[in-house]
Amino acid sequence: EYCLILQPDGSLIREIGKGRLKFPWFIAVDESRDVMYVTDTKLHKVFAFGLDGNLKFSFGKEGPNDSEFQSPQGVTLDPAGNIIVVSGGDGRVQVFWPDGTFKRTVTKVKGAWARGIALTPDGYITVACSGGDCIELYRYM
């Protein structure tokens, strides 16, 4: 129900999202903007917290349309700071501007239950799916 920021030795720096998050799943950190993005699979949202722990904004709601999620799972960032999110329930990979505004849908993955997502140095989105035990690659840049 919250995220912990820890020192390398495991000691607590701060708790983030307490009282706001229900089921945090993945995080991505944009150090240049001092923001940590957290997907919440029960609330069907992405939360943006400052590294100081304060909520900056959130976006998304449950649904099948642009800027909506069905159990958002993985989140990553591109070099411009755009936020890339994969929905586990329907496999959509969506891109949002750094302020959380919808930009575009990249694809719908073929495997079931998309979980993790990463951007490769050569411009591909990789998505790990637990249904079918697969890794899928999609051209992004």
Side-chain angles (χ1 to χ4, degrees):
E1 295 180 356
Y2 54 91
C3 299
L4 301 175
I5 296 183
L6 305 172
Q7 293 283 358
D9 67 3
S11 60
L12 180 66
I13 297 173
R14 76 180 48 85
E15 297 172 344
I16 292 182
K18 200 169 199 174
R20 294 189 187 276
L21 299 172
K22 295 292 180 200
F23 203 84
W25 197 255
F26 275 86
I27 66 164
V29 176
D30 186 339
E31 290 185 70
S32 68
R33 290 179 174 83
D34 293 324
V35 178
M36 181 173 83
Y37 300 97
V38 181
T39 57
D40 191 306
T41 62
K42 291 211 186 239
L43 295 176
H44 306 278
K45 287 181 172 264
V46 176
F47 289 85
F49 293 97
L51 297 182
D52 60 3
N54 292 317
L55 179 67
K56 290 187 171 226
F57 59 90
S58 65
F59 59 94
K61 64 178 184 176
E62 186 174 10
N65 301 311
D66 290 346
S67 77
E68 297 176 344
F69 302 111
Q70 293 182 353
S71 189
Q73 303 279 316
V75 59
T76 193
L77 305 168
D78 72 14
N82 295 311
I83 310 153
I84 307 167
V85 182
V86 64
S87 270
D90 63 8
R92 284 177 301 131
V93 176
Q94 299 182 78
V95 181
F96 300 84
W97 296 101
D99 67 358
T101 305
F102 178 78
K103 184 174 182 180
R104 68 184 174 108
T105 296
V106 175
T107 192
K108 183 174 178 176
V109 299
K110 296 177 180 89
W113 280 104
R115 301 289 188 185
I117 189 168
L119 188 63
T120 66
D122 58 346
Y124 285 89
I125 291 174
T126 59
V127 180
C129 300
S130 61
D133 300 320
C134 62
I135 302 289
E136 298 181 21
L137 290 171
Y138 298 94
R139 191 76 174 136
Y140 177 68
M141 301 181 339

